[in-house]
Amino acid sequence: MYLGLDLGTSGVKALLIDGGQTVIGSGHASLDVSRPHPGWSEQRPADWIRACEEAIAELKASHPGQLAAVKGIGLSGQMHGATLLDAGDHVLRPCILWNDTRSHAEAAKLDADPRFRKLTGNIVFPGFTAPKLVWVKNNEPDIFAKVAKVLLPKDFLRLWLSGEHISEMSDSAGTSWLDVGERDWSSDLLAATSLDEKQMPSLVEGTEKAGGLRSELASKWGMQAGIPIAGGAGDNAASACGMGTVGAGQAFVSLGTSGVLFAANASYLPNPESAVHTFCHALPDTWHQMGVILSATDSLNWLSEISGKGPGELTAELGDTLKAPSGVSFLPYLSGERTPHNDSAIRGAFTGLAHETSRTVLIQAVLEGVAFAFRDSLEALTKAGTTLTRVTAIGGGSRSLYWLKAIATALGLPVDIPADGDFGAAFGAARLGLIAATGADPLRVCTAPATDATIEPVAALSGAYSDAYQRYRALYPAIKAATA
């Protein structure tokens, strides 16, 4: 057996698979987020440990005796969080999470230093780890003076599991301290934030062993002491391992609360100017790029709340036959936008409304607006040298056939729908645990799921969609100028 642990923002999932990668069972425990001030987002690392204990206890109770067969553990987690420890590994303050924006001024100042984009291949976003440490230095100097180690959330779990300070490439690439092309910490970037390599964990690849299970926990869970813990991955890279998105040109589109267009790369292809994330992948000598939409299904949820109809009811009004764009456009910038604009202040809009505009037309425009936002990400990836021939759809929004047809037509790419199964971050983490424990070939382990169906672009509407996309593209600068 192999155990995958995924530390998300809303909970911890523990997933057990066997040697043939069949899912045996899972456990889950919830987490809350503290928001003591506007723009702040924090969690107590002690709550991560509590949730991990609860998730494993649930798994153990439902599958008694089977944890004894675990031969490897993999970790996945929310990225960018700043977990600050003193010399005795005591937590100095609550972890500042990925969606915390308090360090926007510090991020802008670091991003103005050309070394950061040159070495990391990315804009320094407020959610990344480095600007958070500068904020702590400026606002909590007594705490900053005591910082002996900075760990990402999943790597704090590793410290508890193994006693080791270790991270891996995919998660560390989101700190703004990693030389992403060289896959190593940059002493220059650390020095720019008044830190050095002694305060960082050591680095391994996600497929390598990174510590062994402590005997105290092994005894409690009925497992073998010292079993290897894989380096693991940040959440999106772990999901990619679960989806088999590990080879050059492979890609998935995640239609969740936020949206991600994720592409695996065999080489380092940065393009920070278009707000594409370029990170190391969890597999050696592999990188990945992501375009990020901040409000994907959240846009439909917003319309759902206003209309009093459930999201499924709304999409059902459209049927399954794709319609030509109506002339009503929607910008899905309800909380700003990441790719390609890197604009946290921009907000969404409907344009082209008329007396005859119905609710169905508004629903159609929302789905098209999100599809065009994915097209923006595809254009950004293309500029960075990535060529895609098809994508696989995951996430709750992928249950809408109409939406998938709109995305396929907007991208001009076939969209594959995977067969039923659990291919998320916890599954990817379990796969990495299997690789670390057995030395198996990562490409033979991280295979793609079977395809249940393929949605082809609607060729008859490609011209109409192209015209609508050009209208969509023209709206951002207009709205930006009107609200400046």
Side-chain angles (χ1 to χ4, degrees), residues 5-9 11-13 31 43 48 76-78 153-154 157:
L5 297 173
D6 176 42
L7 169 56
T9 312
V12 172
K13 183 174 183 178
L31 290 167
Q43 284 179 332
W48 302 338
S76 164
Q78 49 169 300
K154 79 170 192 322
L157 276 188

Side-chain angles (χ1 to χ4, degrees), residues 267-293:
S267 58
Y268 176 50
L269 300 170
N271 185 23
E273 289 71 26
S274 62
V276 166
H277 293 339
T278 303
F279 293 155
C280 302
H281 209 324
L283 276 58
D285 301 316
T286 308
W287 287 259
H288 69 80
Q289 294 172 319
M290 293 189 298
V292 179
I293 301 165

Side-chain angles (χ1 to χ4, degrees), residues 309-335:
K309 296 275 189 180
E313 292 179 273
L314 294 181
T315 56
E317 288 188 27
L318 296 173
D320 289 338
T321 302
L322 192 67
K323 302 172 179 63
S326 67
V328 174
S329 298
F330 173 73
L331 298 183
Y333 306 149
L334 302 181
S335 56

Side-chain angles (χ1 to χ4, degrees), residues 412-462:
L413 296 173
V415 175
D416 294 326
I417 304 172
D420 287 342
D422 190 333
F423 310 114
F427 182 65
R431 282 180 153 181
L432 293 171
L434 185 159
I435 294 165
T438 65
D441 180 350
L443 297 180
R444 291 185 178 274
V445 174
C446 298
T447 55
T451 297
D452 186 56
T454 297
I455 308 300
E456 297 286 348
V458 179
L461 294 179
S462 62

Side-chain angles (χ1 to χ4, degrees), residues 46-72:
D47 289 340
W48 302 338
I49 293 175
R50 183 265 309 161
C52 192
E53 292 259 35
E54 291 179 6
I56 292 176
E58 180 182 316
L59 182 60
K60 182 181 178 182
S62 60
H63 296 80
Q66 290 191 297
L67 292 185
V70 170
K71 299 299 182 186

Side-chain angles (χ1 to χ4, degrees), residues 251-308:
F252 67 78
V253 56
S254 176
L255 199 53
T257 302
S258 58
V260 173
L261 180 61
F262 182 108
N265 305 106
S267 58
Y268 176 50
L269 300 170
N271 185 23
E273 289 71 26
S274 62
V276 166
H277 293 339
T278 303
F279 293 155
C280 302
H281 209 324
L283 276 58
D285 301 316
T286 308
W287 287 259
H288 69 80
Q289 294 172 319
M290 293 189 298
V292 179
I293 301 165
L294 293 180
S295 299
T297 60
D298 241 10
S299 294
L300 184 63
N301 292 338
W302 166 78
L303 188 62
S304 170
E305 290 176 14
I306 289 174
S307 66

